[in-house]
Amino acid sequence: MSTNNAPTADKQSQQSIAVFLRQNVREYGLLIALVVIMVFFQVVTGGVLFKPVNLTNLVLQNSFVVIMALGMLLVIVAGHIDLSVGSIVAIIGAVAAVMMVNYKVDPWTTSIVSLALGAVIGGAQGYWVAYHRVPAFIVTLAGMLIFRGLTLWFLGGMNIGPFPVEFQKLSTGFLPDLIDMGELHSTSLLLTLAIPLALLWSAWRARKLNESHGIEVEPFPFFAIQNGILVAVMLYLGYQLSTYKGFPNILVIMGVLIIFYSFVTTRTTVGRRIYALGGNEKATKLSGIDTARLSFYTFVNMGFLAALAGLIVAARLNSCTPKAGTGFELDVIAACFIGGASTTGGVGKITGAVVGAFIMGVLNNGMSIMGLGIDFQQMVKGAVLLAAVVFDLYNKNKG
Amino acid sequence: MSSDVILEMRHITKTFPGVKALDDVNFAVQQGEIHALCGENGAGKSTLMKVLSGVYPSGTYDGEIHYMGELRKFQGIKDSEELGIIIIHQELALIPMLSITENIFLGNEIVEHGVINWAKASKRTQELLAKVGLKDPPSTLITDIGVGKQQLVEIAKALSKKVKLLILDEPTASLNETDSNALLDLLLEFKKQGLTSIIISHKLNEISRVADKITVLRDGSTVETLDCHAETISEARIIKGMVGREISDRFPKRVPKIGETIFEVRNWNAFHPLHGDRQIAKNINLKVKRGEVVGIAGLMGAGRTEFAMSVFGHSYGQRITGEVLLNGKPVDTSTVSKAIDAGLAYVTEDRKQLGLILINSVMHNITLANHKGIAKNLVIDEFIERKTATEYREKLRIRTPNVYQTVGNLSGGNQQKVVLAKWLFANPDVLILDEPTRGIDVGAKYEIYTIVNDLVAAGKAVIFISSEMPELLGTCDRIYVMNEGAIAAEMPIAEASQENIMRAIMRSGEKV
């Protein structure tokens, strides 16, 4: 703030780097963990992990976990939990399958109806949580059983498929190639260059704007290194994907949703209120905020995203099965907690949940390539979840 | 003193960050007497008892405790309980879903070969209950008996621990008159059997009935110890000791500029949210004028907070009836957001539980009640938000390095200023302050009074709820006295005095 401290400026900037690191240890720790895990598997699997085919797979396999983690983060930040998402995935898959296969409804109508149904299911659960104060754990545990049972009954234990090609494209399709460039996928390559540039530009603009308002910004070396790494990683991954079939459709949907929910949580009043609600419900209510309605809508939103995940899973398998989505809720919840969300509510970030989901995804994928069984995979995932939360608590107590 | 002094606390000083709660307190209790401890809220009574019982362990305070002839250094409640010092707190520490027997022997079970002997425990409980005159079976759940009986169970529990010095903190605060009398009779009965007790109470008529000696605390210091047998002690005499301090310049000066009536509550009735037959607000009528600070005085539990919260968005109680008028027009305050829109704001009594999101930043807390003021179409303008928060930080002198600081890390006084900033930013016409200076130091108090003065100078109105009477007398233009959910008296500041307020409370209590 004061202006006559030029001689000590150097020392100060060093100090501020240390302070900054300490304040952001959680976020960077998480990203570093993801990078370490990726590099580890890249080495152990003899370079298979980063092969374009496998990267594409990684995206396809994890998209629905990431998408549901966006909704789950809001639910957890609001101080609730949703155990029913796996069952919602199953029932939406079943409904969509019956509509498209048995009744020949077109995929677009089917999708819209399915998404709406997901929102209604979420709302039905949110109603009990928000307006009757039944603990979310109970309501959604009941929902998990009810919707799984309904799916079994509805399908009579049968699989239904295959789906129209148009619908399958949701999960298996790629962006159209606009210009023929031989081996390389042109549209994806273009995006690979454009997105990091746009990102850099907006980061730089935000930094300048903050500076002009006299707001403390992160030390420049940090800004440069952080964004440099980010851009380099994006360029590399984007290029790799472009050498195969290009960007999957699902990656685009996922990207748009991540940006949208990041914006909602950090920049809008709705997001702000969800954090306040989770931090202290009574104080939030006494500040004139309708906390019940807010809780209700986090569940509606969760149901909607679970329905989208249900469509993606169905499209990917090209059939619906009564067992679809079993255990998904645990992966999704784990992703949020690995990503730094607090079990007591009020704390958590969209980016954290996304990185958490990818940590889980890379672990799954890497261990599968190594030929490790599901038994071992589960043990490792459990250990990672525990370690992440212990790390959080340790940090909090220290600070 | 002679050898029959059971307890002597010498030169006890206890400081909390920023506040000296006890300052060189001396306190002696004779064997076999009932010794009353009096003082206003915040005078240090409870702190003194916590020092005695080891809640604040030896080493965290200065001074010496001599008990039964020896210097004692209690490290925890366990140490003091072993020597027969038992405290019964104002908020009873019984577990509702356990039986009387289970509660009495909790942590102190009658164990044989690692197994609890319930038959023996139950028999022993019956004996203890007989001593306190309770006829309920030992297997009764605590939740099924009333507060008065629960108090007796607490005493039975104390007896089970071979109590030598019984300390009761506001034992009759939540009891009706019959139960209170029974309890006091019991204390007198125990006294005959040689038990020493210390009783902390606001109810001066009860004190003069049972106490042998009265020690008065004020602002963390001992004022005097009165011997009830040497002279007749009137209530007025005790009050004088409790409130005797000079009111000098602890309050910033203000020249009142009072305008027309801005806020009015008519025939306000409300009932307890769980016990529907208990009326918490009884036909309350209240008026506040522009530029006026109106105080609501009363003892703890008088129903002031409940009344204020029932008005502010029906946040407390059920079956609420009555009318609220702002600027002469009836307004709907049935939800908090409607109340805010109408121009009301309520600064809660309990800032940690009800006022703040402790894990959020100063900035987010300040803007929470007025997102309209910082957002366009749901999107928050970060620069406006930061500017707003910084302005309030400077205006209210909130001591924090920046507005991004987590509120939980601030001191009590600064937290209170954040709550105030939040409601000032909501720009109300009428601000209700509920115990706004509780637990904060004198300097911060002064700053909060200044903010109040600035507000009314700007033509707003303030309702000031406080249990500290000097504070009300120093800041208000007019005072309502509340007792048991009803307005017991209304007095302009010229006629108000601590004695008058106390008298009004007691008179209304006698009527019931």
Side-chain angles (χ1 to χ4, degrees):
Chain A
M1 290 270 167
S2 58
T3 47
N4 55 348
N5 55 357
T8 58
D10 237 25
K11 204 171 182 184
Q12 269 195 344
S13 82
Q14 268 175 17
Q15 267 177 357
S16 72
I17 288 181
V19 168
F20 191 78
L21 249 185
R22 217 176 318 127
Q23 282 167 350
N24 294 281
V25 62
R26 189 57 177 81
E27 271 162 73
Y28 291 113
L30 199 64
L31 265 176
I32 290 165
L34 178 61
V35 171
V36 167
I37 290 169
M38 284 178 119
V39 169
F40 171 79
F41 281 112
Q42 172 75 355
V43 173
V44 188
T45 58
V48 177
L49 191 83
F50 283 119
K51 281 217 169 119
V53 190
N54 193 52
L55 278 180
T56 307
N57 254 331
L58 204 60
V59 171
L60 296 180
Q61 279 171 359
N62 290 295
S63 55
F64 45 86
V65 175
V66 171
I67 286 170
M68 285 194 283
L70 301 175
M72 189 64 80
L73 185 90
L74 296 186
V75 170
I76 289 175
V77 166
H80 306 298
I81 195 83
D82 192 339
L83 300 174
S84 70
V85 293
S87 297
I88 299 179
V89 163
I91 197 164
I92 294 298
V95 168
V98 169
M99 282 177 75
M100 282 186 294
V101 178
N102 297 7
Y103 294 94
K104 309 289 178 218
V105 181
D106 73 287
W108 285 106
T109 314
T110 304
S111 299
I112 290 165
V113 170
S114 300
L115 293 176
L117 180 64
V120 169
I121 290 175
Q125 300 190 98
Y127 168 76
W128 294 107
V129 177
Y131 294 104
H132 294 274
R133 313 200 63 81
V134 184
F137 189 92
I138 303 297
V139 173
T140 60
L141 183 60
M144 175 179 165
L145 295 167
I146 291 168
F147 297 119
R148 178 68 60 190
L150 268 174
T151 311
L152 286 167
W153 173 75
F154 194 52
L155 291 177
M158 309 251 284
N159 291 7
I160 299 179
F163 300 131
V165 182
E166 208 186 340
F167 182 69
Q168 290 177 39
K169 278 206 175 137
L170 173 63
S171 287
T172 55
F174 294 83
L175 285 186
D177 202 356
L178 296 176
I179 318 154
D180 188 16
M181 286 174 59
E183 288 290 294
L184 285 173
H185 190 274
S186 63
T187 321
S188 304
L189 204 60
L190 206 67
L191 286 173
T192 301
L193 291 172
I195 293 171
L197 275 178
L199 212 76
L200 263 184
W201 180 72
S202 79
W204 180 254
R205 211 181 61 128
R207 185 182 167 85
K208 282 287 147 206
L209 205 59
N210 275 334
E211 270 179 345
S212 74
H213 282 78
I215 298 172
E216 225 176 303
V217 291
E218 56 193 349
F220 184 75
F222 248 91
F223 176 79
I225 293 170
Q226 188 193 340
N227 283 290
I229 293 176
L230 195 68
V231 167
V233 168
M234 288 178 87
L235 285 175
Y236 174 72
L237 294 178
Y239 176 78
Q240 288 290 71
L241 288 173
S242 304
T243 60
Y244 183 53
K245 292 182 184 168
F247 287 5
N249 288 336
I250 206 72
L251 180 66
V252 178
I253 296 177
M254 200 166 80
V256 170
L257 286 175
I258 291 171
I259 292 167
F260 175 73
Y261 281 95
S262 294
F263 182 79
V264 168
T265 51
T266 55
R267 296 289 309 279
T268 67
T269 56
V270 178
R272 178 69 58 77
R273 288 167 180 204
I274 293 174
Y275 283 88
L277 161 65
N280 184 344
E281 184 182 349
K282 284 180 186 162
T284 307
K285 201 169 175 191
L286 281 171
S287 299
I289 290 161
D290 190 341
T291 49
R293 198 172 62 185
L294 208 54
S295 281
F296 175 75
Y297 279 113
T298 61
F299 278 94
V300 171
N301 176 64
M302 181 74 253
F304 173 82
L305 288 175
L308 177 57
L311 294 176
I312 292 168
V313 170
R316 185 172 150 71
L317 299 175
N318 197 16
S319 89
C320 82
T321 85
K323 288 271 163 214
T326 309
F328 279 12
E329 59 280 346
L330 302 180
D331 277 349
V332 173
I333 292 167
C336 291
F337 288 136
I338 289 175
S342 157
T343 47
T344 48
V347 178
K349 282 188 168 177
I350 287 291
T351 44
V354 171
V355 174
F358 272 109
I359 287 180
M360 300 275 285
V362 172
L363 283 171
N364 275 339
N365 183 273
M367 287 190 285
S368 299
I369 299 172
M370 284 170 68
L372 292 171
I374 190 105
D375 43 2
F376 204 74
Q377 289 186 23
Q378 299 215 358
M379 287 189 258
V380 170
K381 281 199 285 183
V384 168
L385 173 62
L386 184 62
V389 175
V390 168
F391 180 73
D392 259 1
L393 289 174
Y394 173 76
N395 256 328
K396 207 192 279 170
N397 292 340
K398 207 179 54 178
Chain B
M1 284 216 188
S2 58
S3 61
D4 60 353
V5 171
I6 183 169
L7 170 74
E8 198 177 353
M9 300 178 79
R10 292 181 195 155
H11 309 295
I12 304 290
T13 298
K14 167 84 188 157
T15 12
F16 294 110
V19 191
K20 212 171 207 180
L22 294 175
D23 188 3
D24 194 27
V25 170
N26 290 296
F27 181 55
V29 180
Q30 305 268 328
Q31 176 73 46
E33 69 177 3
I34 297 179
H35 198 126
L37 200 53
C38 295
E40 289 181 288
N41 297 332
K45 297 163 301 192
S46 297
T47 312
L48 187 65
M49 291 304 105
K50 281 180 182 163
V51 166
L52 171 59
S53 61
V55 172
Y56 302 131
S58 170
T60 62
Y61 57 85
D62 297 324
E64 290 177 352
I65 298 175
H66 292 263
Y67 175 66
M68 301 209 298
E70 274 180 56
L71 175 65
R72 307 286 178 177
K73 289 181 174 170
F74 299 130
Q75 287 308 318
I77 298 184
K78 197 133 193 146
D79 293 355
S80 60
E81 281 197 348
E82 257 166 33
L83 295 172
I85 302 176
I86 311 284
I87 290 202
I88 297 177
H89 290 283
Q90 196 175 350
E91 298 93 20
L92 301 179
L94 297 171
I95 307 200
M97 294 314 287
L98 293 185
S99 71
I100 296 178
T101 312
E102 285 168 318
N103 267 290
I104 285 183
F105 291 102
L106 188 66
N108 197 17
E109 292 84 358
I110 301 179
V111 176
E112 283 164 13
H113 313 297
V115 179
I116 299 178
N117 187 336
W118 283 118
K120 213 180 233 177
S122 175
K123 189 151 173 289
R124 183 93 183 86
T125 305
Q126 252 164 351
E127 293 164 20
L128 292 167
L129 292 184
K131 278 192 195 167
V132 298
L134 201 58
K135 293 186 185 72
D136 295 70
S139 59
T140 316
L141 297 187
I142 293 299
T143 172
D144 295 335
I145 59 178
V147 196
K149 286 182 176 178
Q150 289 181 12
Q151 192 70 257
L152 295 177
V153 171
E154 278 278 17
I155 293 173
K157 186 174 175 181
L159 294 178
S160 82
K161 291 177 185 164
K162 314 240 171 349
V163 59
K164 295 200 180 66
L165 176 61
L166 181 65
I167 302 162
L168 299 135
D169 190 354
E170 299 276 357
T172 60
S174 46
L175 302 190
N176 62 31
E177 200 155 333
T178 330
D179 285 345
S180 299
N181 279 329
L183 185 78
L184 296 174
D185 288 339
L186 195 64
L187 279 185
L188 290 171
E189 180 61 35
F190 285 150
K191 189 180 114 180
K192 278 187 204 151
Q193 296 166 18
L195 182 71
T196 317
S197 25
I198 298 172
I199 175 168
I200 298 176
S201 179
H202 278 302
K203 299 190 181 170
L204 303 179
N205 52 343
E206 294 177 356
I207 288 178
S208 24
R209 196 181 132 200
V210 296
D212 299 302
K213 286 221 188 79
I214 300 170
T215 293
V216 181
L217 287 184
R218 189 201 306 151
D219 292 339
S221 310
T222 334
V223 176
E224 56 193 344
T225 297
L226 306 164
D227 188 337
C228 304
H229 300 298
E231 49 183 325
T232 358
I233 310 285
S234 66
E235 284 169 25
R237 175 75 189 77
I238 306 174
I239 293 174
K240 193 176 155 238
M242 275 166 63
V243 299
R245 103 196 95 192
E246 306 256 335
I247 299 168
S248 50
D249 55 352
R250 294 203 300 128
F251 305 99
K253 294 270 174 294
R254 169 170 61 87
V255 181
K257 271 189 291 179
I258 295 170
E260 75 282 17
T261 300
I262 180 169
F263 177 70
E264 193 176 351
V265 177
R266 284 185 193 159
N267 306 323
W268 197 259
N269 285 292
F271 291 83
H272 192 275
L274 298 176
H275 310 290
D277 53 338
R278 246 177 72 194
Q279 193 164 2
I280 49 153
K282 294 171 191 160
N283 209 30
I284 291 176
N285 285 288
L286 176 146
K287 267 186 197 173
V288 186
K289 298 192 178 81
R290 230 174 242 289
E292 191 182 31
V293 181
V294 171
I296 304 184
L299 299 175
M300 268 185 212
R304 295 166 298 168
T305 297
E306 290 80 357
F307 162 64
M309 285 183 74
S310 71
V311 171
F312 186 67
H314 293 197
S315 305
Y316 186 91
Q318 58 169 338
R319 289 195 280 140
I320 297 167
T321 54
E323 236 186 323
V324 179
L325 291 95
L326 266 142
N327 293 315
K329 278 182 228 115
V331 289
D332 181 5
T333 62
S334 61
T335 70
V336 176
S337 72
K338 279 180 191 165
I340 293 172
D341 289 344
L344 272 183
Y346 170 63
V347 176
T348 51
E349 179 183 15
D350 184 341
R351 58 177 168 266
K352 286 185 195 235
Q353 299 293 323
L354 303 177
L356 293 166
I357 319 286
L358 289 173
I359 58 173
N360 284 1
S361 66
V362 171
M363 178 170 79
H364 288 188
N365 271 287
I366 289 178
T367 57
L368 185 64
N370 187 7
H371 278 163
K372 276 179 216 150
I374 53 161
K376 233 181 246 169
N377 304 325
L378 301 181
V379 179
I380 294 170
D381 186 324
E382 287 171 6
F383 297 116
I384 293 183
E385 179 173 34
R386 183 175 180 278
K387 206 171 132 236
T388 306
T390 310
E391 269 172 27
Y392 279 102
R393 176 187 145 209
E394 277 154 21
K395 205 155 102 191
L396 306 193
R397 273 178 274 160
I398 302 169
R399 272 172 277 281
T400 164
N402 56 50
V403 291
Y404 303 110
Q405 185 71 30
T406 307
V407 167
N409 295 340
L410 303 186
S411 73
N414 284 309
Q415 287 184 352
Q416 188 65 47
K417 288 188 207 163
V418 173
V419 184
L420 271 176
K422 172 171 90 172
W423 289 113
L424 294 183
F425 180 50
N427 197 21
D429 292 326
V430 180
L431 183 69
I432 307 171
L433 302 171
D434 196 349
E435 303 283 1
T437 63
R438 173 171 295 170
I440 66 179
D441 59 70
V442 180
K445 280 183 186 178
Y446 189 88
E447 288 179 326
I448 284 173
Y449 303 141
T450 312
I451 296 164
V452 169
N453 286 355
D454 291 348
L455 262 180
V456 290
K460 316 236 173 205
V462 171
I463 298 176
F464 200 119
I465 300 174
S466 175
S467 298
E468 285 186 44
M469 284 188 275
E471 177 174 276
L472 289 178
L473 296 172
T475 50
C476 297
D477 300 308
R478 193 155 51 90
I479 293 176
Y480 287 98
V481 182
M482 242 183 113
N483 193 34
E484 292 174 0
I487 300 279
E490 178 192 347
M491 45 186 90
I493 196 67
E495 292 170 23
S497 68
Q498 307 194 29
E499 284 82 356
N500 282 346
I501 292 173
M502 269 294 184
R503 212 165 284 143
I505 290 170
M506 293 195 179
R507 246 180 237 139
S508 84
E510 279 157 16
K511 264 185 275 172
V512 174

